[in-house]
Amino acid sequence: MTKKTTTVEATTTYKLNVEEVRKDFPILHRQVNGKPLVYFDNGATSQKPQQVIDVINRYYQHENSNIHRGIHTLSQEATDAYEKARTTVQQFINAQHNHEVIFTSGTTGSINLVASSFGKKHIQAGDEIIISTMEHHSNIVPWQMLCEEKGAILKVIPINEKGELLLDEFKKLLSPKTKLVAVTHVSNTLGTINPVKEIIQLVRQHNSTLDGNVGGNIPPSGGQRGAVILIDGAQAVPHTKVDVQALDCDFYAFSAHKMFGPTGVGILYGKEAILNELPPYQGGGDMIKTVTFEKTTYNELPHKFEAGTPNIVGGIGLAAAIDYMNHIGIANIEAYEHELLNYATHKIKKIEGVRIIGEAANKASVLSFLVDGTHPSDIGMIIDKLGIAIRTGHHCTEPLMNRFNIPGTARASFAFYNTKEEIDTFILALERALKMLK
Ligand code: PMP
């Protein structure tokens, strides 16, 4: 691979020197199978800049201590760093309060928290939960488990051949029994950017038609409860600006590891009023105010939902990743990745027999494809020998694969540290693999 500096300057709005950016990511300079690594599996997890790695090292070398309980200096420093990280996340997603930011183990942890806690209190037999055809298993299975437990009904928004949600069909699914709508912001398999703001507005309008409901989720006094909305932002937050107040969602879930931070930590954003009325998820230390054998009272937000010693360094590492993204500029990231996607799409379409799965008008930097007469995993295996990491399989979206009547896809997903030269290398490798396979 040539070591050429690629400075991408868009018409007016952004500037991203990708060779400079790449210097921040040590792993991008290693070889795989004797070839320079081309990492196109960012949808599964992203790489980490030195700035994040340094913060994690420094924490264990200088600050490590348990939080919220200690009177000593180290504990106070760790607590301060962790709570400062919460505020960094709050500002990043523009939440109104920092106690609306709950640290979890990741998107999966966040969705399970809502399914358990909201489900326990508000879902009854016959109630309806709406998800979409393109959800990740982690935004399907927790709702199925809840429906099974409570006798509730799961409804699914269909999609068209391009991989776009059918909003007219969605409107028909909404009913007075709809208690929760959970959709992904960006599809990890198709790259589709869903019109979540419009979806949320449709739910709000629907709620306002319900008896005694004034349009919000929590009726002021005993009226009909409307549906709440959870957005799975796992694939959105790394690529685009998210503003939870502008969206007006009730819950928003995402993972640090897909946005250049560490694994094992993520966020559940929830509106204060809704979080306040939900029961705790797990019991243990930190989530209590007082405990006696007769009765326990629970802590306030956000601690009510954070039982036990959390992933302290994970939260601090996430904040470092956010600082890094802010330093690059989210608008720069979005514009550059869009350019990479267009470049790759254009190139791959020239290869005979290629079928792109996911051709929505509005897409993030995910390119899923199939090639006539070949199996995606064979392609993945051959190009891995050439140092190229892509993902193959169902991408934890089996129902979506069934919708397209395919067993899986090959998926290249790009981040802002990828280059057009890497895409050229990938296309050449793909052509070589196809020659071997046909
Ligand atoms: N939702 C989407 C859209 C995803 O892409 C993923 C991860 N592939 C998840 C949820 C689950 O994220 P995690 O495994 O980090 O909990």
Side-chain angles (χ1 to χ4, degrees), residues 43-45 105-111 134-139 184-189 232-236 254-258 264-265 395-397 411:
T45 198
S105 59
T107 309
T108 306
S110 301
I111 296 172
M134 67 176 85
E135 298 311 315
H136 187 279
H137 293 165
S138 64
N139 201 25
T184 192
H185 196 160
V186 172
S187 159
N188 63 312
T189 303
D232 172 352
Q235 297 289 343
F254 56 100
S255 304
H257 71 96
K258 293 185 196 286
V265 64
H395 316 294
C396 295
T397 54
R411 182 189 72 182

Side-chain angles (χ1 to χ4, degrees), residues 371-390:
V371 188
D372 284 348
T374 61
H375 197 280
S377 59
D378 291 337
I379 295 175
M381 254 170 345
I382 294 175
I383 70 172
D384 175 58
K385 297 274 175 285
L386 302 168
I388 301 166
I390 62 166

Side-chain angles (χ1 to χ4, degrees), residues 69 282-287 303-310:
R69 303 155 207 194
Q282 294 175 322
D286 245 25
M287 53 74 74
H303 311 295
K304 182 171 99 177
F305 291 107
E306 295 179 356
T309 301

Side-chain angles (χ1 to χ4, degrees), residues 34-272:
K35 306 274 182 199
L37 167 67
V38 172
Y39 187 77
F40 284 172
D41 195 18
N42 295 287
T45 198
S46 61
Q47 299 303 347
K48 323 302 172 200
Q50 190 64 49
Q51 289 84 337
V52 169
I53 298 168
D54 286 347
V55 163
I56 292 169
N57 278 338
R58 197 164 54 236
Y59 176 78
Y60 280 128
Q61 282 170 1
H62 296 288
E63 290 160 7
N64 180 49
S65 179
N66 211 333
I67 55 168
H68 294 149
R69 303 155 207 194
I71 192 76
H72 60 81
T73 304
L74 279 192
S75 175
Q76 285 181 13
E77 282 179 10
T79 304
D80 287 351
Y82 193 66
E83 290 307 323
K84 191 163 163 260
R86 196 188 303 279
T87 302
T88 302
V89 177
Q90 176 208 348
Q91 288 163 352
F92 184 64
I93 58 171
N94 193 31
Q96 200 175 354
H97 308 288
N98 82 350
H99 55 256
E100 293 175 319
V101 172
I102 313 292
F103 281 113
T104 65
S105 59
T107 309
T108 306
S110 301
I111 296 172
N112 276 280
L113 189 163
V114 178
S116 166
S117 193
F118 183 87
K120 203 179 287 168
K121 177 141 185 199
H122 293 302
I123 300 293
Q124 278 147 26
D127 283 346
E128 293 167 359
I129 292 170
I130 301 179
I131 59 171
S132 90
T133 307
M134 67 176 85
E135 298 311 315
H136 187 279
H137 293 165
S138 64
N139 201 25
I140 300 175
V141 183
W143 308 119
Q144 277 179 328
M145 289 163 70
L146 176 61
C147 286
E148 207 172 309
E149 186 188 325
K150 296 282 192 141
I153 297 151
L154 194 65
K155 291 179 158 184
V156 183
I157 311 168
I159 59 171
N160 64 21
E161 276 302 307
K162 287 176 164 176
E164 296 165 324
L165 291 179
L166 297 175
L167 290 192
D168 285 339
E169 298 301 316
F170 170 55
K171 284 187 220 163
K172 290 184 209 155
L173 294 181
L174 286 164
S175 89
K177 288 184 179 274
T178 312
K179 290 294 178 291
L180 189 136
V181 176
V183 289
T184 192
H185 196 160
V186 172
S187 159
N188 63 312
T189 303
L190 306 170
T192 310
I193 303 175
N194 284 319
V196 284
K197 195 166 165 75
E198 204 179 330
I199 290 169
I200 292 164
Q201 278 166 355
L202 286 172
V203 176
R204 299 277 175 244
Q205 271 163 26
H206 164 78
N207 285 351
S208 69
T209 64
L210 301 173
D211 261 4
N213 190 288
V214 288
N217 322 91
I218 301 172
S221 58
Q224 166 76 49
R225 168 178 288 273
V228 299
I229 304 135
L230 178 142
I231 305 294
D232 172 352
Q235 297 289 343
V237 174
H239 306 290
T240 192
K241 174 76 195 147
V242 170
D243 180 332
V244 291
Q245 288 190 76
L247 283 178
D248 192 27
C249 52
D250 299 304
F251 300 107
Y252 197 97
F254 56 100
S255 304
H257 71 96
K258 293 185 196 286
M259 50 184 296
F260 322 104
T263 52
V265 64
I267 297 296
L268 174 69
Y269 158 80
K271 278 188 181 163
E272 178 186 41

